[in-house]
PDB file of all heavy atoms in Angstrom:
ATOM      1  N   LYS M  16     117.187 110.004  84.360  1.00  0.00           N
ATOM      2  CA  LYS M  16     117.244 108.997  83.368  1.00  0.00           C
ATOM      3  C   LYS M  16     116.203 107.929  83.659  1.00  0.00           C
ATOM      4  O   LYS M  16     116.118 107.387  84.812  1.00  0.00           O
ATOM      5  CB  LYS M  16     118.665 108.359  83.293  1.00  0.00           C
ATOM      6  CG  LYS M  16     119.773 109.367  82.972  1.00  0.00           C
ATOM      7  CD  LYS M  16     119.525 109.882  81.603  1.00  0.00           C
ATOM      8  CE  LYS M  16     120.690 110.881  81.209  1.00  0.00           C
ATOM      9  NZ  LYS M  16     120.499 111.523  79.913  1.00  0.00           N
ATOM     10  N   LEU M  17     115.380 107.558  82.705  1.00  0.00           N
ATOM     11  CA  LEU M  17     114.349 106.627  82.920  1.00  0.00           C
ATOM     12  C   LEU M  17     114.916 105.215  83.114  1.00  0.00           C
ATOM     13  O   LEU M  17     115.774 104.777  82.373  1.00  0.00           O
ATOM     14  CB  LEU M  17     113.446 106.601  81.670  1.00  0.00           C
ATOM     15  CG  LEU M  17     112.083 105.944  81.774  1.00  0.00           C
ATOM     16  CD1 LEU M  17     111.209 106.675  82.773  1.00  0.00           C
ATOM     17  CD2 LEU M  17     111.438 105.832  80.455  1.00  0.00           C
ATOM     18  N   ASP M  18     114.484 104.570  84.214  1.00  0.00           N
ATOM     19  CA  ASP M  18     114.905 103.179  84.491  1.00  0.00           C
ATOM     20  C   ASP M  18     114.125 102.213  83.665  1.00  0.00           C
ATOM     21  O   ASP M  18     112.998 101.820  84.080  1.00  0.00           O
ATOM     22  CB  ASP M  18     114.748 102.891  85.989  1.00  0.00           C
ATOM     23  CG  ASP M  18     115.304 101.523  86.387  1.00  0.00           C
ATOM     24  OD1 ASP M  18     115.617 100.746  85.491  1.00  0.00           O
ATOM     25  OD2 ASP M  18     115.364 101.204  87.585  1.00  0.00           O
ATOM     26  N   LYS M  19     114.605 101.849  82.505  1.00  0.00           N
ATOM     27  CA  LYS M  19     113.836 100.980  81.618  1.00  0.00           C
ATOM     28  C   LYS M  19     113.895  99.454  81.981  1.00  0.00           C
ATOM     29  O   LYS M  19     113.305  98.626  81.317  1.00  0.00           O
ATOM     30  CB  LYS M  19     114.346 101.169  80.176  1.00  0.00           C
ATOM     31  CG  LYS M  19     114.031 102.611  79.681  1.00  0.00           C
ATOM     32  CD  LYS M  19     114.499 102.863  78.316  1.00  0.00           C
ATOM     33  CE  LYS M  19     114.258 104.289  77.902  1.00  0.00           C
ATOM     34  NZ  LYS M  19     114.808 104.620  76.588  1.00  0.00           N
ATOM     35  N   GLU M  20     114.649  99.206  83.093  1.00  0.00           N
ATOM     36  CA  GLU M  20     114.646  97.836  83.606  1.00  0.00           C
ATOM     37  C   GLU M  20     113.479  97.526  84.461  1.00  0.00           C
ATOM     38  O   GLU M  20     113.027  96.462  84.659  1.00  0.00           O
ATOM     39  CB  GLU M  20     115.960  97.564  84.385  1.00  0.00           C
ATOM     40  CG  GLU M  20     117.205  97.607  83.521  1.00  0.00           C
ATOM     41  CD  GLU M  20     117.165  96.639  82.330  1.00  0.00           C
ATOM     42  OE1 GLU M  20     116.852  95.478  82.584  1.00  0.00           O
ATOM     43  OE2 GLU M  20     117.457  97.111  81.252  1.00  0.00           O
ATOM     44  N   ALA M  21     112.828  98.617  84.954  1.00  0.00           N
ATOM     45  CA  ALA M  21     111.654  98.487  85.825  1.00  0.00           C
ATOM     46  C   ALA M  21     110.451  98.151  84.911  1.00  0.00           C
ATOM     47  O   ALA M  21     110.448  98.519  83.719  1.00  0.00           O
ATOM     48  CB  ALA M  21     111.417  99.729  86.578  1.00  0.00           C
ATOM     49  N   ASP M  22     109.461  97.486  85.520  1.00  0.00           N
ATOM     50  CA  ASP M  22     108.201  97.205  84.753  1.00  0.00           C
ATOM     51  C   ASP M  22     107.476  98.503  84.485  1.00  0.00           C
ATOM     52  O   ASP M  22     106.742  98.662  83.491  1.00  0.00           O
ATOM     53  CB  ASP M  22     107.358  96.227  85.491  1.00  0.00           C
ATOM     54  CG  ASP M  22     108.005  94.864  85.648  1.00  0.00           C
ATOM     55  OD1 ASP M  22     108.395  94.276  84.611  1.00  0.00           O
ATOM     56  OD2 ASP M  22     108.128  94.349  86.770  1.00  0.00           O
ATOM     57  N   ALA M  23     107.611  99.470  85.441  1.00  0.00           N
ATOM     58  CA  ALA M  23     106.941 100.722  85.315  1.00  0.00           C
ATOM     59  C   ALA M  23     107.657 101.766  86.152  1.00  0.00           C
ATOM     60  O   ALA M  23     108.319 101.423  87.101  1.00  0.00           O
ATOM     61  CB  ALA M  23     105.491 100.622  85.700  1.00  0.00           C
ATOM     62  N   VAL M  24     107.486 103.007  85.727  1.00  0.00           N
ATOM     63  CA  VAL M  24     108.047 104.147  86.478  1.00  0.00           C
ATOM     64  C   VAL M  24     106.950 105.137  86.678  1.00  0.00           C
ATOM     65  O   VAL M  24     106.215 105.513  85.762  1.00  0.00           O
ATOM     66  CB  VAL M  24     109.202 104.800  85.719  1.00  0.00           C
ATOM     67  CG1 VAL M  24     109.718 106.053  86.493  1.00  0.00           C
ATOM     68  CG2 VAL M  24     110.358 103.830  85.540  1.00  0.00           C
ATOM     69  N   MET M  25     106.811 105.640  87.904  1.00  0.00           N
ATOM     70  CA  MET M  25     105.884 106.718  88.236  1.00  0.00           C
ATOM     71  C   MET M  25     106.655 107.979  88.497  1.00  0.00           C
ATOM     72  O   MET M  25     107.493 107.988  89.322  1.00  0.00           O
ATOM     73  CB  MET M  25     105.017 106.302  89.470  1.00  0.00           C
ATOM     74  CG  MET M  25     104.243 105.013  89.309  1.00  0.00           C
ATOM     75  SD  MET M  25     103.206 104.571  90.731  1.00  0.00           S
ATOM     76  CE  MET M  25     101.953 105.835  90.635  1.00  0.00           C
ATOM     77  N   TRP M  26     106.277 109.062  87.781  1.00  0.00           N
ATOM     78  CA  TRP M  26     107.003 110.297  87.925  1.00  0.00           C
ATOM     79  C   TRP M  26     106.445 111.041  89.151  1.00  0.00           C
ATOM     80  O   TRP M  26     105.204 111.163  89.274  1.00  0.00           O
ATOM     81  CB  TRP M  26     106.873 111.123  86.689  1.00  0.00           C
ATOM     82  CG  TRP M  26     107.499 110.434  85.465  1.00  0.00           C
ATOM     83  CD1 TRP M  26     107.818 109.141  85.359  1.00  0.00           C
ATOM     84  CD2 TRP M  26     107.845 111.073  84.271  1.00  0.00           C
ATOM     85  NE1 TRP M  26     108.341 108.889  84.128  1.00  0.00           N
ATOM     86  CE2 TRP M  26     108.386 110.072  83.398  1.00  0.00           C
ATOM     87  CE3 TRP M  26     107.772 112.337  83.755  1.00  0.00           C
ATOM     88  CZ2 TRP M  26     108.830 110.306  82.141  1.00  0.00           C
ATOM     89  CZ3 TRP M  26     108.170 112.631  82.459  1.00  0.00           C
ATOM     90  CH2 TRP M  26     108.741 111.635  81.664  1.00  0.00           C
ATOM     91  N   VAL M  27     107.391 111.479  89.971  1.00  0.00           N
ATOM     92  CA  VAL M  27     106.998 112.105  91.237  1.00  0.00           C
ATOM     93  C   VAL M  27     107.735 113.394  91.500  1.00  0.00           C
ATOM     94  O   VAL M  27     108.757 113.647  90.882  1.00  0.00           O
ATOM     95  CB  VAL M  27     107.274 111.102  92.453  1.00  0.00           C
ATOM     96  CG1 VAL M  27     106.408 109.858  92.336  1.00  0.00           C
ATOM     97  CG2 VAL M  27     108.684 110.743  92.575  1.00  0.00           C
ATOM     98  N   LYS M  28     107.244 114.196  92.409  1.00  0.00           N
ATOM     99  CA  LYS M  28     107.857 115.438  92.830  1.00  0.00           C
ATOM    100  C   LYS M  28     107.791 115.594  94.365  1.00  0.00           C
ATOM    101  O   LYS M  28     106.784 115.362  94.968  1.00  0.00           O
ATOM    102  CB  LYS M  28     107.145 116.637  92.204  1.00  0.00           C
ATOM    103  CG  LYS M  28     107.668 118.000  92.683  1.00  0.00           C
ATOM    104  CD  LYS M  28     109.086 118.287  92.113  1.00  0.00           C
ATOM    105  CE  LYS M  28     109.561 119.686  92.486  1.00  0.00           C
ATOM    106  NZ  LYS M  28     109.903 119.880  93.865  1.00  0.00           N
ATOM    107  N   GLN M  29     108.941 115.870  94.937  1.00  0.00           N
ATOM    108  CA  GLN M  29     108.947 116.117  96.373  1.00  0.00           C
ATOM    109  C   GLN M  29     108.169 117.399  96.695  1.00  0.00           C
ATOM    110  O   GLN M  29     108.372 118.451  96.075  1.00  0.00           O
ATOM    111  CB  GLN M  29     110.396 116.295  96.868  1.00  0.00           C
ATOM    112  CG  GLN M  29     110.538 116.285  98.363  1.00  0.00           C
ATOM    113  CD  GLN M  29     112.022 116.249  98.778  1.00  0.00           C
ATOM    114  OE1 GLN M  29     112.881 116.704  98.040  1.00  0.00           O
ATOM    115  NE2 GLN M  29     112.275 115.678  99.985  1.00  0.00           N
ATOM    116  N   VAL M  30     107.246 117.297  97.648  1.00  0.00           N
ATOM    117  CA  VAL M  30     106.322 118.446  97.930  1.00  0.00           C
ATOM    118  C   VAL M  30     106.357 118.715  99.433  1.00  0.00           C
ATOM    119  O   VAL M  30     106.729 117.850 100.287  1.00  0.00           O
ATOM    120  CB  VAL M  30     104.858 118.149  97.506  1.00  0.00           C
ATOM    121  CG1 VAL M  30     104.777 118.038  95.997  1.00  0.00           C
ATOM    122  CG2 VAL M  30     104.344 116.885  98.169  1.00  0.00           C
ATOM    123  N   GLU M  31     105.930 119.949  99.771  1.00  0.00           N
ATOM    124  CA  GLU M  31     105.989 120.386 101.183  1.00  0.00           C
ATOM    125  C   GLU M  31     104.686 119.968 101.894  1.00  0.00           C
ATOM    126  O   GLU M  31     104.696 119.939 103.112  1.00  0.00           O
ATOM    127  CB  GLU M  31     106.155 121.901 101.206  1.00  0.00           C
ATOM    128  CG  GLU M  31     107.553 122.363 100.772  1.00  0.00           C
ATOM    129  CD  GLU M  31     107.747 123.843 100.878  1.00  0.00           C
ATOM    130  OE1 GLU M  31     106.787 124.528 101.259  1.00  0.00           O
ATOM    131  OE2 GLU M  31     108.859 124.354 100.553  1.00  0.00           O
ATOM    132  N   ASN M  32     103.614 119.777 101.159  1.00  0.00           N
ATOM    133  CA  ASN M  32     102.295 119.463 101.825  1.00  0.00           C
ATOM    134  C   ASN M  32     101.797 118.178 101.250  1.00  0.00           C
ATOM    135  O   ASN M  32     100.750 118.124 100.527  1.00  0.00           O
ATOM    136  CB  ASN M  32     101.295 120.573 101.642  1.00  0.00           C
ATOM    137  CG  ASN M  32     101.151 120.962 100.181  1.00  0.00           C
ATOM    138  OD1 ASN M  32     102.060 120.836  99.378  1.00  0.00           O
ATOM    139  ND2 ASN M  32      99.981 121.442  99.843  1.00  0.00           N
ATOM    140  N   PRO M  33     102.429 117.003 101.539  1.00  0.00           N
ATOM    141  CA  PRO M  33     102.043 115.711 100.929  1.00  0.00           C
ATOM    142  C   PRO M  33     100.654 115.264 101.249  1.00  0.00           C
ATOM    143  O   PRO M  33     100.106 114.486 100.531  1.00  0.00           O
ATOM    144  CB  PRO M  33     103.078 114.771 101.510  1.00  0.00           C
ATOM    145  CG  PRO M  33     103.628 115.401 102.758  1.00  0.00           C
ATOM    146  CD  PRO M  33     103.580 116.857 102.488  1.00  0.00           C
ATOM    147  N   GLU M  34     100.065 115.785 102.329  1.00  0.00           N
ATOM    148  CA  GLU M  34      98.676 115.384 102.689  1.00  0.00           C
ATOM    149  C   GLU M  34      97.667 115.822 101.655  1.00  0.00           C
ATOM    150  O   GLU M  34      96.509 115.318 101.619  1.00  0.00           O
ATOM    151  CB  GLU M  34      98.298 115.956 104.063  1.00  0.00           C
ATOM    152  CG  GLU M  34      98.117 117.465 104.114  1.00  0.00           C
ATOM    153  CD  GLU M  34      99.445 118.242 104.255  1.00  0.00           C
ATOM    154  OE1 GLU M  34     100.561 117.577 104.326  1.00  0.00           O
ATOM    155  OE2 GLU M  34      99.424 119.445 104.310  1.00  0.00           O
ATOM    156  N   ALA M  35      98.060 116.761 100.737  1.00  0.00           N
ATOM    157  CA  ALA M  35      97.149 117.231  99.679  1.00  0.00           C
ATOM    158  C   ALA M  35      97.280 116.408  98.434  1.00  0.00           C
ATOM    159  O   ALA M  35      96.525 116.703  97.424  1.00  0.00           O
ATOM    160  CB  ALA M  35      97.431 118.682  99.392  1.00  0.00           C
ATOM    161  N   PHE M  36      98.102 115.379  98.405  1.00  0.00           N
ATOM    162  CA  PHE M  36      98.371 114.668  97.162  1.00  0.00           C
ATOM    163  C   PHE M  36      98.319 113.151  97.375  1.00  0.00           C
ATOM    164  O   PHE M  36      98.386 112.673  98.465  1.00  0.00           O
ATOM    165  CB  PHE M  36      99.756 115.026  96.597  1.00  0.00           C
ATOM    166  CG  PHE M  36      99.971 116.475  96.334  1.00  0.00           C
ATOM    167  CD1 PHE M  36     100.521 117.282  97.290  1.00  0.00           C
ATOM    168  CD2 PHE M  36      99.574 117.026  95.136  1.00  0.00           C
ATOM    169  CE1 PHE M  36     100.731 118.656  97.032  1.00  0.00           C
ATOM    170  CE2 PHE M  36      99.754 118.396  94.907  1.00  0.00           C
ATOM    171  CZ  PHE M  36     100.335 119.215  95.828  1.00  0.00           C
ATOM    172  N   GLY M  37      98.251 112.447  96.242  1.00  0.00           N
ATOM    173  CA  GLY M  37      98.556 110.994  96.282  1.00  0.00           C
ATOM    174  C   GLY M  37     100.055 110.853  96.306  1.00  0.00           C
ATOM    175  O   GLY M  37     100.776 111.462  95.501  1.00  0.00           O
ATOM    176  N   VAL M  38     100.566 110.046  97.210  1.00  0.00           N
ATOM    177  CA  VAL M  38     102.053 109.843  97.334  1.00  0.00           C
ATOM    178  C   VAL M  38     102.394 108.383  97.247  1.00  0.00           C
ATOM    179  O   VAL M  38     101.549 107.485  97.320  1.00  0.00           O
ATOM    180  CB  VAL M  38     102.550 110.433  98.682  1.00  0.00           C
ATOM    181  CG1 VAL M  38     102.250 111.939  98.764  1.00  0.00           C
ATOM    182  CG2 VAL M  38     101.873 109.736  99.850  1.00  0.00           C
ATOM    183  N   ILE M  39     103.688 108.142  97.094  1.00  0.00           N
ATOM    184  CA  ILE M  39     104.201 106.771  97.022  1.00  0.00           C
ATOM    185  C   ILE M  39     104.996 106.418  98.252  1.00  0.00           C
ATOM    186  O   ILE M  39     105.560 107.296  98.927  1.00  0.00           O
ATOM    187  CB  ILE M  39     105.093 106.560  95.758  1.00  0.00           C
ATOM    188  CG1 ILE M  39     106.304 107.507  95.788  1.00  0.00           C
ATOM    189  CG2 ILE M  39     104.324 106.739  94.462  1.00  0.00           C
ATOM    190  CD1 ILE M  39     107.349 107.184  94.756  1.00  0.00           C
ATOM    191  N   LYS M  40     104.990 105.167  98.553  1.00  0.00           N
ATOM    192  CA  LYS M  40     105.800 104.631  99.656  1.00  0.00           C
ATOM    193  C   LYS M  40     106.877 103.706  99.072  1.00  0.00           C
ATOM    194  O   LYS M  40     106.576 102.863  98.202  1.00  0.00           O
ATOM    195  CB  LYS M  40     104.917 103.789 100.659  1.00  0.00           C
ATOM    196  CG  LYS M  40     105.628 103.452 101.923  1.00  0.00           C
ATOM    197  CD  LYS M  40     104.630 102.845 102.893  1.00  0.00           C
ATOM    198  CE  LYS M  40     105.286 102.448 104.215  1.00  0.00           C
ATOM    199  NZ  LYS M  40     104.309 101.874 105.148  1.00  0.00           N
ATOM    200  N   LEU M  41     108.149 103.866  99.465  1.00  0.00           N
ATOM    201  CA  LEU M  41     109.224 103.105  98.924  1.00  0.00           C
ATOM    202  C   LEU M  41     109.816 102.100  99.911  1.00  0.00           C
ATOM    203  O   LEU M  41     109.748 102.344 101.142  1.00  0.00           O
ATOM    204  CB  LEU M  41     110.376 104.082  98.483  1.00  0.00           C
ATOM    205  CG  LEU M  41     110.092 105.148  97.473  1.00  0.00           C
ATOM    206  CD1 LEU M  41     111.254 106.050  97.263  1.00  0.00           C
ATOM    207  CD2 LEU M  41     109.692 104.525  96.171  1.00  0.00           C
ATOM    208  N   ASN M  42     110.386 101.057  99.423  1.00  0.00           N
ATOM    209  CA  ASN M  42     111.092 100.079 100.251  1.00  0.00           C
ATOM    210  C   ASN M  42     112.616 100.452 100.195  1.00  0.00           C
ATOM    211  O   ASN M  42     113.038 101.358  99.535  1.00  0.00           O
ATOM    212  CB  ASN M  42     110.830  98.620  99.904  1.00  0.00           C
ATOM    213  CG  ASN M  42     111.277  98.269  98.479  1.00  0.00           C
ATOM    214  OD1 ASN M  42     112.065  99.040  97.846  1.00  0.00           O
ATOM    215  ND2 ASN M  42     110.795  97.236  97.942  1.00  0.00           N
ATOM    216  N   ASP M  43     113.413  99.645 100.887  1.00  0.00           N
ATOM    217  CA  ASP M  43     114.854  99.961 100.952  1.00  0.00           C
ATOM    218  C   ASP M  43     115.554  99.710  99.633  1.00  0.00           C
ATOM    219  O   ASP M  43     116.743 100.062  99.487  1.00  0.00           O
ATOM    220  CB  ASP M  43     115.528  99.179 102.095  1.00  0.00           C
ATOM    221  CG  ASP M  43     115.264  97.667 101.963  1.00  0.00           C
ATOM    222  OD1 ASP M  43     114.725  97.183 100.950  1.00  0.00           O
ATOM    223  OD2 ASP M  43     115.697  96.955 102.906  1.00  0.00           O
ATOM    224  N   LYS M  44     114.876  99.092  98.642  1.00  0.00           N
ATOM    225  CA  LYS M  44     115.447  98.888  97.343  1.00  0.00           C
ATOM    226  C   LYS M  44     115.063 100.032  96.333  1.00  0.00           C
ATOM    227  O   LYS M  44     115.417 100.016  95.178  1.00  0.00           O
ATOM    228  CB  LYS M  44     114.963  97.550  96.724  1.00  0.00           C
ATOM    229  CG  LYS M  44     115.459  96.342  97.523  1.00  0.00           C
ATOM    230  CD  LYS M  44     114.971  95.067  96.870  1.00  0.00           C
ATOM    231  CE  LYS M  44     115.436  93.863  97.627  1.00  0.00           C
ATOM    232  NZ  LYS M  44     114.852  92.586  97.050  1.00  0.00           N
ATOM    233  N   GLY M  45     114.351 101.049  96.878  1.00  0.00           N
ATOM    234  CA  GLY M  45     113.912 102.111  95.972  1.00  0.00           C
ATOM    235  C   GLY M  45     112.721 101.754  95.123  1.00  0.00           C
ATOM    236  O   GLY M  45     112.490 102.479  94.124  1.00  0.00           O
ATOM    237  N   GLN M  46     112.021 100.726  95.492  1.00  0.00           N
ATOM    238  CA  GLN M  46     110.867 100.276  94.701  1.00  0.00           C
ATOM    239  C   GLN M  46     109.572 100.812  95.345  1.00  0.00           C
ATOM    240  O   GLN M  46     109.536 100.996  96.607  1.00  0.00           O
ATOM    241  CB  GLN M  46     110.837  98.769  94.613  1.00  0.00           C
ATOM    242  CG  GLN M  46     112.007  98.169  93.955  1.00  0.00           C
ATOM    243  CD  GLN M  46     112.039  96.639  94.067  1.00  0.00           C
ATOM    244  OE1 GLN M  46     111.216  96.039  94.737  1.00  0.00           O
ATOM    245  NE2 GLN M  46     112.941  95.990  93.373  1.00  0.00           N
ATOM    246  N   ILE M  47     108.565 101.108  94.527  1.00  0.00           N
ATOM    247  CA  ILE M  47     107.332 101.630  95.031  1.00  0.00           C
ATOM    248  C   ILE M  47     106.533 100.452  95.599  1.00  0.00           C
ATOM    249  O   ILE M  47     106.224  99.471  94.868  1.00  0.00           O
ATOM    250  CB  ILE M  47     106.502 102.332  93.931  1.00  0.00           C
ATOM    251  CG1 ILE M  47     107.312 103.517  93.430  1.00  0.00           C
ATOM    252  CG2 ILE M  47     105.160 102.765  94.460  1.00  0.00           C
ATOM    253  CD1 ILE M  47     106.705 104.205  92.192  1.00  0.00           C
ATOM    254  N   THR M  48     106.169 100.543  96.815  1.00  0.00           N
ATOM    255  CA  THR M  48     105.388  99.445  97.476  1.00  0.00           C
ATOM    256  C   THR M  48     103.935  99.793  97.674  1.00  0.00           C
ATOM    257  O   THR M  48     103.097  98.874  97.764  1.00  0.00           O
ATOM    258  CB  THR M  48     105.976  99.129  98.889  1.00  0.00           C
ATOM    259  OG1 THR M  48     105.959 100.268  99.669  1.00  0.00           O
ATOM    260  CG2 THR M  48     107.402  98.624  98.765  1.00  0.00           C
ATOM    261  N   GLU M  49     103.612 101.110  97.639  1.00  0.00           N
ATOM    262  CA  GLU M  49     102.249 101.478  97.933  1.00  0.00           C
ATOM    263  C   GLU M  49     101.951 102.827  97.370  1.00  0.00           C
ATOM    264  O   GLU M  49     102.785 103.738  97.271  1.00  0.00           O
ATOM    265  CB  GLU M  49     102.047 101.459  99.486  1.00  0.00           C
ATOM    266  CG  GLU M  49     100.624 101.514  99.920  1.00  0.00           C
ATOM    267  CD  GLU M  49     100.450 101.359 101.450  1.00  0.00           C
ATOM    268  OE1 GLU M  49     101.480 101.111 102.116  1.00  0.00           O
ATOM    269  OE2 GLU M  49      99.363 101.618 101.898  1.00  0.00           O
ATOM    270  N   LEU M  50     100.667 103.002  96.969  1.00  0.00           N
ATOM    271  CA  LEU M  50     100.125 104.314  96.605  1.00  0.00           C
ATOM    272  C   LEU M  50      99.150 104.730  97.633  1.00  0.00           C
ATOM    273  O   LEU M  50      98.209 103.967  98.030  1.00  0.00           O
ATOM    274  CB  LEU M  50      99.373 104.198  95.267  1.00  0.00           C
ATOM    275  CG  LEU M  50     100.220 104.043  93.992  1.00  0.00           C
ATOM    276  CD1 LEU M  50      99.265 103.764  92.818  1.00  0.00           C
ATOM    277  CD2 LEU M  50     101.074 105.279  93.733  1.00  0.00           C
ATOM    278  N   VAL M  51      99.299 105.917  98.190  1.00  0.00           N
ATOM    279  CA  VAL M  51      98.425 106.405  99.274  1.00  0.00           C
ATOM    280  C   VAL M  51      97.832 107.734  98.882  1.00  0.00           C
ATOM    281  O   VAL M  51      98.515 108.656  98.543  1.00  0.00           O
ATOM    282  CB  VAL M  51      99.185 106.493 100.641  1.00  0.00           C
ATOM    283  CG1 VAL M  51      98.197 106.909 101.718  1.00  0.00           C
ATOM    284  CG2 VAL M  51      99.873 105.216 100.940  1.00  0.00           C
ATOM    285  N   GLU M  52      96.509 107.825  98.935  1.00  0.00           N
ATOM    286  CA  GLU M  52      95.793 109.015  98.574  1.00  0.00           C
ATOM    287  C   GLU M  52      95.533 109.981  99.687  1.00  0.00           C
ATOM    288  O   GLU M  52      94.841 109.617 100.647  1.00  0.00           O
ATOM    289  CB  GLU M  52      94.432 108.680  97.919  1.00  0.00           C
ATOM    290  CG  GLU M  52      94.568 108.130  96.480  1.00  0.00           C
ATOM    291  CD  GLU M  52      95.028 109.183  95.466  1.00  0.00           C
ATOM    292  OE1 GLU M  52      94.824 110.384  95.756  1.00  0.00           O
ATOM    293  OE2 GLU M  52      95.693 108.836  94.527  1.00  0.00           O
ATOM    294  N   LYS M  53      96.180 111.156  99.735  1.00  0.00           N
ATOM    295  CA  LYS M  53      95.895 112.249 100.616  1.00  0.00           C
ATOM    296  C   LYS M  53      95.767 111.784 102.086  1.00  0.00           C
ATOM    297  O   LYS M  53      94.740 112.055 102.758  1.00  0.00           O
ATOM    298  CB  LYS M  53      94.611 112.981 100.149  1.00  0.00           C
ATOM    299  CG  LYS M  53      94.690 113.592  98.775  1.00  0.00           C
ATOM    300  CD  LYS M  53      93.431 114.272  98.353  1.00  0.00           C
ATOM    301  CE  LYS M  53      93.652 114.847  96.909  1.00  0.00           C
ATOM    302  NZ  LYS M  53      92.395 115.564  96.462  1.00  0.00           N
ATOM    303  N   SER M  54      96.781 111.125 102.506  1.00  0.00           N
ATOM    304  CA  SER M  54      96.783 110.673 103.891  1.00  0.00           C
ATOM    305  C   SER M  54      97.066 111.826 104.901  1.00  0.00           C
ATOM    306  O   SER M  54      98.011 112.630 104.666  1.00  0.00           O
ATOM    307  CB  SER M  54      97.843 109.546 104.094  1.00  0.00           C
ATOM    308  OG  SER M  54      97.954 109.170 105.405  1.00  0.00           O
ATOM    309  N   LYS M  55      96.346 111.905 105.975  1.00  0.00           N
ATOM    310  CA  LYS M  55      96.610 112.894 107.010  1.00  0.00           C
ATOM    311  C   LYS M  55      97.858 112.472 107.810  1.00  0.00           C
ATOM    312  O   LYS M  55      98.536 113.413 108.353  1.00  0.00           O
ATOM    313  CB  LYS M  55      95.372 113.003 107.930  1.00  0.00           C
ATOM    314  CG  LYS M  55      94.145 113.618 107.279  1.00  0.00           C
ATOM    315  CD  LYS M  55      93.008 113.709 108.209  1.00  0.00           C
ATOM    316  CE  LYS M  55      91.736 114.291 107.549  1.00  0.00           C
ATOM    317  NZ  LYS M  55      90.611 114.417 108.487  1.00  0.00           N
ATOM    318  N   ASP M  56      98.155 111.236 107.856  1.00  0.00           N
ATOM    319  CA  ASP M  56      99.390 110.778 108.510  1.00  0.00           C
ATOM    320  C   ASP M  56     100.522 110.754 107.485  1.00  0.00           C
ATOM    321  O   ASP M  56     100.301 110.361 106.320  1.00  0.00           O
ATOM    322  CB  ASP M  56      99.196 109.349 109.083  1.00  0.00           C
ATOM    323  CG  ASP M  56      98.151 109.314 110.135  1.00  0.00           C
ATOM    324  OD1 ASP M  56      98.055 110.301 110.909  1.00  0.00           O
ATOM    325  OD2 ASP M  56      97.331 108.375 110.162  1.00  0.00           O
ATOM    326  N   PHE M  57     101.718 111.147 107.897  1.00  0.00           N
ATOM    327  CA  PHE M  57     102.837 111.245 106.946  1.00  0.00           C
ATOM    328  C   PHE M  57     103.230 109.801 106.409  1.00  0.00           C
ATOM    329  O   PHE M  57     103.417 108.894 107.213  1.00  0.00           O
ATOM    330  CB  PHE M  57     104.058 111.875 107.612  1.00  0.00           C
ATOM    331  CG  PHE M  57     105.200 111.978 106.603  1.00  0.00           C
ATOM    332  CD1 PHE M  57     105.248 113.028 105.697  1.00  0.00           C
ATOM    333  CD2 PHE M  57     106.227 111.029 106.590  1.00  0.00           C
ATOM    334  CE1 PHE M  57     106.339 113.128 104.837  1.00  0.00           C
ATOM    335  CE2 PHE M  57     107.303 111.155 105.759  1.00  0.00           C
ATOM    336  CZ  PHE M  57     107.293 112.222 104.800  1.00  0.00           C
TER     337      PHE M  57
END
């Protein structure tokens, strides 16, 4: 269900090889704090 209270929603998929993708970083409130492109570090 789309959270329409948020200013924006980024659609994501859990993947096995995140180093090959742009990924999001979340805080303890479930909010996106950062976008990271193809990081070798998890």
Side-chain angles (χ1 to χ4, degrees):
K16 299 297 181 184
L17 195 67
D18 184 351
K19 295 178 183 176
E20 295 303 312
D22 296 306
V24 175
M25 302 180 69
W26 297 17
V27 297
K28 175 70 174 72
Q29 191 172 27
V30 294
E31 294 181 356
N32 54 332
E34 68 279 359
F36 302 95
V38 298
I39 60 169
K40 190 174 183 179
L41 301 175
N42 62 17
D43 55 7
K44 296 180 181 179
Q46 299 172 352
I47 298 171
T48 59
E49 194 174 351
L50 289 172
V51 182
E52 285 292 332
K53 299 181 181 180
S54 173
K55 294 181 180 179
D56 298 322
F57 182 81

